[in-house]
Amino acid sequence: MTVAQFFGCALIAFGPPISMFSITIASDPIRTIMLVASAFFWLLALLFSSILYSAFTQIQDTLVFGVIFSVLFQELFRFLWFLLIQKAEGGLKKVSDGNMQIVENKHILAYVSGLGFGMISGAFSLVNVLADMTGPGTIGLKGDPPNFFIASAVTSLAFILLHVFWGVLFFNAIHRRAYLQLAYVILCHMLASCITLMNPMYAVTIPTVWILTVLSGVLSFIVAGGSHRTIKAAIQGHSRILHVNTNEGGDTMVDGGGM
């Protein structure tokens, strides 16, 4: 039973992200490299937030301060990652081997970077829980919530998807200088993280996190140029995407190849 629970929760949390990676990223070496590099920047954010948490002993008894600083460091390193890829844009054009999609369509790069942030974040948040799922024993014998494992998996999936959406919104906000959109990303990240401190009140935390996930997903879909036409094309299996080149003078939209 414990092994079945392990695979079930692992697939709940990582099944959709792995599918997204396999379908949209794995076939392109440049996208794969960018995903790994963005995950490394998330690790740097974790390192610096851990150093800060260890250095200031007075905040170690108040978990909320650790969460707040962790969120701020993650968004800071998301911004630093954005600056780095902006500087490396010329190099990306040289090594892209004629495939200019990831350079010309800023939302693809934001999506890849967000998925990198999300997958490494989900792995670190759930790996210890998954390790305990295989036994021996089970949870709930001493009054602990018996649905802890499944709740952790569902929450981890939500945060992985949130990082994807936050990546798209964050990059778009920087390109357009849309500071309200940028503030939404930071505040949404802060709210989603802090609300988990109310666990094990899963009836409150899980719906709240998933409402933020759906809202962020809709917003990122809109800023990436999505519409009912693109949804219809995706359902019908048309291998086309909408290129949205973000320029100061406005958007230039053209049809391109599959993502």
Side-chain angles (χ1 to χ4, degrees), residues 182-217:
L182 185 64
Y184 167 81
V185 172
I186 298 174
L187 293 177
C188 182
H189 194 173
M190 195 77 69
L191 176 60
S193 298
C194 289
I195 199 70
T196 60
L197 296 176
M198 297 177 62
N199 285 333
M201 297 175 61
Y202 300 125
V204 175
T205 60
I206 292 180
T208 302
V209 170
W210 275 97
I211 289 172
L212 294 174
T213 303
V214 173
L215 177 60
S216 300

Side-chain angles (χ1 to χ4, degrees), residues 13-81:
F14 299 110
I18 291 175
S19 298
M20 294 163 66
F21 170 78
S22 301
I23 295 172
T24 62
I25 296 176
S27 60
D28 189 326
I30 300 299
R31 295 184 190 182
T32 304
I33 292 172
M34 300 301 286
L35 182 139
V36 174
S38 63
F40 175 72
F41 267 69
W42 186 91
L43 289 175
L44 289 178
L46 177 65
L47 173 64
F48 277 88
S49 60
S50 300
I51 292 174
L52 180 67
Y53 184 76
S54 300
F56 292 92
T57 56
Q58 61 267 30
I59 70 172
Q60 292 182 6
D61 295 330
T62 309
L63 190 57
V64 65
F65 288 106
V67 173
I68 291 173
F69 284 120
S70 177
V71 169
L72 293 177
F73 270 113
Q74 287 179 56
E75 297 305 328
L76 171 62
F77 276 87
R78 198 192 306 273
F79 177 66
L80 294 177
W81 168 245

Side-chain angles (χ1 to χ4, degrees), residues 101-137:
Q101 247 185 52
I102 194 169
V103 179
E104 294 177 350
N105 191 332
K106 306 300 183 182
H107 298 303
I108 292 181
L109 188 53
Y111 160 78
V112 173
S113 302
L115 188 58
F117 264 65
M119 291 185 73
I120 193 67
S121 171
F124 267 78
S125 65
L126 199 63
V127 63
N128 290 333
V129 178
L130 289 175
D132 290 336
M133 285 184 192
T134 55

